[in-house]
Structures are given as C-alpha cells and as structure tokens.
Amino acid sequence: MDANPILAQTMRGNWVENRHRGAYVVIDADGIIIASAGDIERPIFPRSAIKSMQALAIFARHADSQFHHTQEELALACASHTGEDLHVGVANGLLARLGLSADDLECGAHQPLDAAARAALRERGEAPSSLHNSCSGKHSGMLSVARAMGVPTQGYVNRDHAVQQQVRAVIEAVIGEPLSEARCGTDGCSIPTYAAPLRAFARGFARMATGHGLSTELATASQRLFDAATTHPHLVAGTGHADTLIMTAFKGRVMQKYGADGVQCGAISDKGWGYALKCDDGNIAASLAMVSALLLDIAEPDADQRKLLEGFANQPIKSVRGAVVGDLRAVVRQG
Amino acid sequence: MDANPILAQTMRGNWVENRHRGAYVVIDADGIIIASAGDIERPIFPRSAIKSMQALAIFARHADSQFHHTQEELALACASHTGEDLHVGVANGLLARLGLSADDLECGAHQPLDAAARAALRERGEAPSSLHNSCSGKHSGMLSVARAMGVPTQGYVNRDHAVQQQVRAVIEAVIGEPLSEARCGTDGCSIPTYAAPLRAFARGFARMATGHGLSTELATASQRLFDAATTHPHLVAGTGHADTLIMTAFKGRVMQKYGADGVQCGAISDKGWGYALKCDDGNIAASLAMVSALLLDIAEPDADQRKLLEGFANQPIKSVRGAVVGDLRAVVRQG
C-alpha cells in the first residue's frame, strides 16, 4: 500500500518532530474532483463526522412530523457537543417529549468535554450522565426514530435494530454506495460505524449541500439539517471548539464537522462542494490543521475567516511554563 | 523522503482505522545492528527517553561525591514520574540537602499524571507544584550539578547555562556523535533537547549497559544509574505505568524508558544491546505497542514477561460503556 502524503507536521525548535500523513478530497455532487491528495478510495471510518447524514433518519421516518423537532434539536442531532448546560437541556427537552429520559440513552456517560462544565459538575458533587455524552443529541434523535417507527427503544444502538437499519439506509442513499458488514465496527457511543471510501463521504456532503442526486425528501431534510447546524454552531460542538468557530465565522457558507480519530467532513454550500479528510494516524489536532489549510485553499475565506483558519493550520506547542517551543502546522501541498 | 513502515495500527471491528509508522534499531556497543526497521539515520528528538544519559552529568561534575545522592534520587533523576507522594518526597529530599526548594525548579507545575494523586490534591484544595512535574527528579539532579559546579542555579534550564553545556557534553560522549544547534528545540520542561539519529541513541544505551567505548568514570556512572532505575522502577514512572511494569518484570535485565511524542529507548543488559524507537506521528500508545513487540522478539521474555508485553503490544479499545470494540496492535514485521 502506498503511503499517503505528509499533510501536517510538528516542529520543535528548528527541526521536525512528528509527521502526520493523510488523504482528502473535495468533490461536487456529480463526482467531479476539485482537489485531492492521497488515496481517496481507501475505506475509512467516518465516525462522528457524518452525524448530519445519520440524522436524516429522523426525516425518513417522519419523526419530525410527529415530534416537531426544534431547529436546536436538529442541530444537536448533528453534534459532538461539549456537555454544557445548553446541550444537556436541549437533549433533555426532546427526550421528555418522547416520554423518555436519560436512562433510555445507550451511549454511556462520560465527563463533559468542556472544562468549565466538568468543574461545575465536580463542584456540585455530581457524576456525569449520558446526557453529557457528546453524542446525546444524536442518540435522542435516534430514539425519536424508534418512537416514530413504533419499535422498542431498547437496544436501538445495535446493528440489527430497525433504527440502525434505517440510519444505514439513509447513509447509503446519500453517499450512493452500499455499506458492508465486512467493514463495520462499533463507535465509542455504541452505534455501528461503517467504513467507506473517503470520496463517497465527500460526495455525500456535496449532495446534501445541493440536493443534487437525492430524492426531494432527502434533499429537503438535508437542507433543514445543514441550516440547523450552521444556524446553531454552538450546539454542534461548544465553547471554543473549532467546528463551532469555523461555522460561526462562515455564516452558513460552510458546514464543518470533525469525527474521532482524525476525520474532518463538511461542505461549502455556495460552491456546491463536499469534502472529507482523514489523518492516517488518527490525530485530531493534525486533522484540524489539515482541513484548515484545505479551507484556506478552496473556501475563499474573507479576512476574519482567514485569520481563524490560519490559527488552526498552525497551532503553537507550548512548554509547561507556557513558552512557545514549536508548532503543529499543515504542510503546504507541493503542486 | 521514503515513508517508514507501518509498525502499529488500530482495528475497529473488522477494519483498520489508524496506521502508525515508525523506525527502530537494536544495536550493540560496537555498532553492530541486531534488528532494525525504517530510517534509523533520521535525527529524532529523544525527549525524556534519555534522562539516564542526561543524569550522567551528576557524576561528570562529582555532584554525587558532594551530595551523596541516594539510589532513589538517582532513579528519580532518570524518571518521568507520575507525581505520587513517593516521587514528590524523593525530589524534595534532594532539594533540601542542596539548600534549595521547589521554588528553584524551573520545569513548571502541572497536575500529577497519576489519577489518584490528582484527586488527592484536589480534595485537599491544593494546586500542583513543580515537584509534581514528571521531570522534577531530573531537574533536582540538574540543580545538584549547578551546586557542584558552583554556578548560579537560576536559568539552569537554558541552553547556554553551564549545567546544560555539561549535560550536552555527556550525551555527546555516550552517543559518540556531536549534537547540533541546527537540530535543537526546547522540551516541555524547558531544557534543551537535541535531535540525533535513532541509531546513535540506541548505541548510547548499549554503551551505557556494557561500559564499552566509555571512560571508566562514565561506565561506572552508567552502571549506577541503570542499577538505580531497574532497582526502583516505581520511581522511574509510577503506578500502573508500562515502564515501571516492564522493568519490574524483567528484574534488572531491561532498562526501559519512554519519551514524549512516541519515543522508546532502553537496553537489554545481558545481551549488551541498546534500542531506540520513534513513532513518526508521536503517538505514545502506538510506540508502546511497537516497543513491546520488539522486546517480545529480541529480549527472550519468560512466560510472565511475555504476558505483560503481549498486553501492551495489543491494547483493547473500548466504547464509553466499556465494551471492547477494537484494538491498537503492533504490526508483525514482514521478514
């Protein structure tokens, strides 16, 4: 297998310390490649980067008609949130309307990703609940699908449960390729994740951004989800998070979502392009540097957007005492 | 630049998720290569993996004769410790004999790496001090060098300070190659770190383990430091840490030390071999899997040692709910 190119590296002093390889592709809904590097046909696990695709199941089963998801709830369904009160409240609100509670979530509990939220819990002497899990919005959305389908909610995370079959079907419809049991694993939040070519996920985002190649129903649903995410970027991630800051800065032009283990996906709406990127070694900070360099290159950022992206494309590395001793930087493509 | 081989990868379900490349070399004191993979001439930052080399400065300046370092203090000088009471106490003891205190350490303060030590500090409402810094033993040792040299301690971390010049000189003597300002950075604890070929560091460890090629004084000092580290492996790292467990299991046969950003160095004393390994992307867990596979291959482990190493060579990946959903595993070399 050929090695993917080095797309980011860390410098310490005047010498390279670490090298991060990866692949990316920018593509339109027809499959025309705008830019790419590395092996874009290698199947990768998209993890949380495709939560907006998974959320299409809410519309496919008309859970939205039955439970009237707010735009905030739709944004949170697309989120890997940081467990702040705002996020917990929105997830809780939908669960209450479904006649369910945190006990019905099967994602497991972990400490909030947001440091202030962690400290607040600790001060109150409280353990985190599954509502603090960064995936609780997605899971609440999936529970609404179970309710709309009239199936038992228990076990909704399992691969053979009707909810996950539906989620799989909408992903296949959007990326235009079958998912396979031969390339399947379980995500950190216990739901299935299927590996597929980087190119297919990027094209899926282009199709969601434009509606081209999708049924009217899926096109409309995609529009509602992208609108929700870009209108409420704080709900899609949280305080200080790159996805929140990038979507805020681009004011609806860019849908951007990271996934665990170095995945970055999104769409540039006015261009009609989708993109997908995977850092081979799973490093999230490196993948952020890579995708920021990519957006600098293709998204025609204004001055403020450029400044933000340049900060992510070149992240300082500090000593314990806070001195800058190096940086993690995207490697400019050679031609 | 040719890509180094993939030496570890993560599996999620039945598909590869992440790939970690790297290089390693096992070598004897004469420079005869026992085993290697990847580019072993590429200069890498050794970071904390060569603390035992840096600690030779204590002997080069006869600080040991003046301050009578205990074996525990020598072990802690080689350590990246986890900030437990034991570690803090040993560092404090040496500082007191030097007429110094935590205020003289220039490594900066960070939370103890050990979770129980962190929780205990928090319960007492105390902030961590520089004694909890995983490098406080090394820094206390460097302060003893400053005292023995009769130079001001202030600024002892700086590249042009007499202490760091001495540390640089002993490393050069041991690895048998000059270090260069052209490949120099600052470590997390504020002291200089110089990049040099992987091969040179491995050979340095072989020379420390055997004394071959070293002055009598450096050979004796090396023996005392390796004896200290392998006699007190808990001081070199801490509760549950791989280095502590590996050195404990090998009962003096193996000196093993990790460094930040995916470095692993050490020696197999009875073989007279040194080794050095770098994971290209800086992933510490992946580098542990790699070095464990290497030790399984070359260190002739007994059944207990084998079991321990196999656990590090194949580390489970769990969901938030604790189910095993994959693993990080060393890739067996192809021929």
Side-chain angles (χ1 to χ4, degrees):
Chain A
M1 186 174 59
D2 282 350
N4 280 328
I6 294 169
L7 297 180
Q9 59 189 23
T10 60
M11 296 293 294
R12 182 171 295 272
N14 52 17
W15 194 253
V16 176
E17 181 154 36
N18 302 316
R19 294 167 174 83
H20 302 281
R21 294 173 182 274
Y24 66 77
V25 57
V26 185
I27 200 166
D28 73 11
D30 295 324
I32 307 295
I33 292 173
I34 315 303
S36 81
D39 183 355
I40 65 173
E41 297 301 330
R42 184 191 296 173
I44 62 110
F45 284 115
R47 309 290 299 277
S48 289
I50 61 160
K51 278 176 173 164
S52 56
M53 288 186 190
Q54 294 166 327
L56 289 167
I58 293 169
F59 298 89
R61 287 297 175 158
H62 308 295
D64 58 309
S65 309
Q66 192 171 342
F67 298 110
H68 308 288
H69 297 67
T70 64
Q71 198 177 37
E72 288 81 357
E73 288 162 358
L74 293 178
L76 201 73
C78 302
S80 297
H81 66 73
T82 51
E84 299 166 50
D85 288 348
L86 179 68
H87 305 114
V88 168
V90 172
N92 224 357
L94 176 57
L95 287 173
R97 281 212 315 293
L98 300 174
L100 299 171
S101 75
D103 293 341
D104 297 290
L105 293 171
E106 297 181 0
C107 47
H110 65 65
Q111 288 288 346
L113 300 180
D114 181 68
R118 277 200 305 280
L121 266 187
R122 204 158 50 215
E123 276 182 31
R124 297 199 300 267
E126 290 176 21
S129 81
S130 50
L131 288 166
H132 297 97
N133 187 309
S134 58
C135 302
S136 66
K138 176 180 70 178
H139 280 252
S140 301
M142 287 176 173
L143 282 167
S144 77
V145 177
R147 283 296 207 214
M149 293 176 82
V151 297
T153 62
Q154 200 176 5
Y156 73 89
V157 295
N158 297 330
R159 210 185 291 186
D160 55 1
H161 189 281
V163 167
Q164 297 307 330
Q165 296 287 331
Q166 179 59 60
V167 169
R168 176 177 173 164
V170 290
I171 297 171
E172 289 175 329
V174 169
I175 69 173
E177 304 207 6
L179 299 173
S180 168
E181 301 288 324
R183 300 185 306 228
C184 186
T186 302
D187 213 322
C189 69
S190 297
I191 71 160
T193 179
Y194 294 87
L198 203 58
R199 179 193 42 71
F201 291 120
R203 189 173 177 200
F205 277 97
R207 291 163 66 147
M208 285 186 74
T210 60
H212 297 166
L214 298 182
S215 67
T216 307
E217 187 178 48
L218 277 181
T220 306
S222 297
Q223 190 65 54
R224 283 194 59 189
L225 287 164
F226 275 22
D227 282 352
T230 57
T231 304
H232 302 283
H234 193 94
L235 286 169
V236 181
T239 302
H241 194 285
D243 288 352
T244 295
L245 296 174
I246 290 171
M247 284 194 283
T248 302
F250 274 93
K251 304 179 180 74
R253 280 189 62 220
V254 171
M255 164 75 184
Q256 155 62 28
K257 183 71 185 73
Y258 89 105
D261 289 78
V263 181
Q264 303 283 350
C265 286
I268 304 164
S269 306
D270 56 336
K271 302 274 189 188
W273 298 341
Y275 59 86
L277 180 152
K278 163 76 179 169
C279 174
D280 287 359
D281 60 63
N283 189 295
I284 292 176
S287 71
L288 174 60
M290 295 174 188
V291 79
S292 298
L294 182 61
L295 290 172
L296 278 167
D297 198 28
I298 62 163
E300 294 184 14
D302 66 23
D304 288 345
Q305 294 157 356
R306 174 168 294 279
K307 192 175 169 193
L308 178 75
L309 292 172
E310 285 174 343
F312 295 134
N314 193 333
Q315 306 163 33
I317 294 173
K318 295 182 179 178
S319 70
V320 172
R321 294 200 299 185
V324 174
V325 295
D327 56 58
L328 165 60
R329 61 174 78 160
V331 174
V332 176
R333 289 176 302 148
Q334 305 295 319
Chain B
M1 186 174 57
D2 283 350
N4 279 329
I6 294 169
L7 298 181
Q9 59 189 22
T10 60
M11 296 292 295
R12 182 171 296 271
N14 53 17
W15 195 253
V16 176
E17 181 154 37
N18 301 316
R19 294 167 175 84
H20 302 282
R21 295 173 183 273
Y24 65 77
V25 57
V26 185
I27 200 166
D28 73 11
D30 295 324
I32 307 294
I33 292 173
I34 316 302
S36 82
D39 183 355
I40 66 172
E41 297 302 330
R42 183 192 297 172
I44 63 108
F45 284 114
R47 308 291 300 278
S48 290
I50 60 159
K51 278 177 173 163
S52 56
M53 287 186 191
Q54 295 167 325
L56 289 167
I58 294 170
F59 298 91
R61 286 298 175 157
H62 308 295
D64 58 308
S65 310
Q66 192 172 341
F67 298 110
H68 308 288
H69 297 66
T70 63
Q71 198 178 39
E72 287 81 358
E73 287 161 0
L74 293 177
L76 201 72
C78 302
S80 297
H81 67 73
T82 51
E84 300 167 49
D85 288 347
L86 179 67
H87 304 115
V88 169
V90 172
N92 225 356
L94 176 56
L95 287 172
R97 279 212 316 292
L98 300 174
L100 299 171
S101 75
D103 292 341
D104 296 291
L105 293 171
E106 298 181 0
C107 46
H110 64 68
Q111 288 287 348
L113 301 180
D114 181 69
R118 277 200 304 279
L121 266 188
R122 203 157 52 216
E123 276 183 30
R124 296 199 300 267
E126 291 176 21
S129 81
S130 51
L131 289 167
H132 297 97
N133 186 308
S134 58
C135 302
S136 66
K138 175 181 71 177
H139 280 251
S140 301
M142 287 175 173
L143 282 168
S144 76
V145 177
R147 282 298 207 212
M149 294 175 81
V151 297
T153 62
Q154 200 176 5
Y156 73 89
V157 295
N158 297 331
R159 210 184 291 185
D160 54 1
H161 189 280
V163 167
Q164 297 307 331
Q165 295 287 332
Q166 179 59 60
V167 169
R168 175 177 173 166
V170 291
I171 297 171
E172 288 175 329
V174 169
I175 70 172
E177 303 206 6
L179 299 174
S180 168
E181 301 288 323
R183 302 185 306 229
C184 186
T186 301
D187 213 322
C189 69
S190 297
I191 70 162
T193 179
Y194 295 88
L198 203 58
R199 179 193 43 69
F201 291 120
R203 190 172 176 201
F205 277 98
R207 291 164 67 146
M208 286 186 75
T210 59
H212 297 165
L214 299 182
S215 67
T216 308
E217 188 178 46
L218 277 180
T220 305
S222 298
Q223 190 64 55
R224 283 192 61 189
L225 287 164
F226 276 23
D227 282 351
T230 57
T231 304
H232 303 283
H234 192 93
L235 286 169
V236 181
T239 301
H241 193 284
D243 289 352
T244 295
L245 296 173
I246 290 171
M247 284 194 281
T248 302
F250 274 92
K251 305 179 181 73
R253 281 189 62 220
V254 170
M255 165 76 185
Q256 155 62 30
K257 183 71 186 71
Y258 88 106
D261 289 76
V263 181
Q264 303 283 349
C265 287
I268 304 164
S269 306
D270 57 334
K271 302 274 191 190
W273 297 342
Y275 59 86
L277 181 152
K278 163 77 179 169
C279 174
D280 287 0
D281 60 63
N283 189 295
I284 292 176
S287 71
L288 174 59
M290 294 174 189
V291 80
S292 299
L294 183 61
L295 289 173
L296 278 167
D297 198 27
I298 62 162
E300 294 186 14
D302 66 23
D304 287 346
Q305 294 156 358
R306 176 169 292 280
K307 192 175 169 192
L308 179 74
L309 292 171
E310 284 173 347
F312 294 133
N314 192 331
Q315 305 162 34
I317 294 172
K318 295 181 180 179
S319 71
V320 172
R321 293 199 301 184
V324 174
V325 296
D327 56 59
L328 166 60
R329 61 174 76 160
V331 174
V332 176
R333 288 176 300 147
Q334 307 294 318

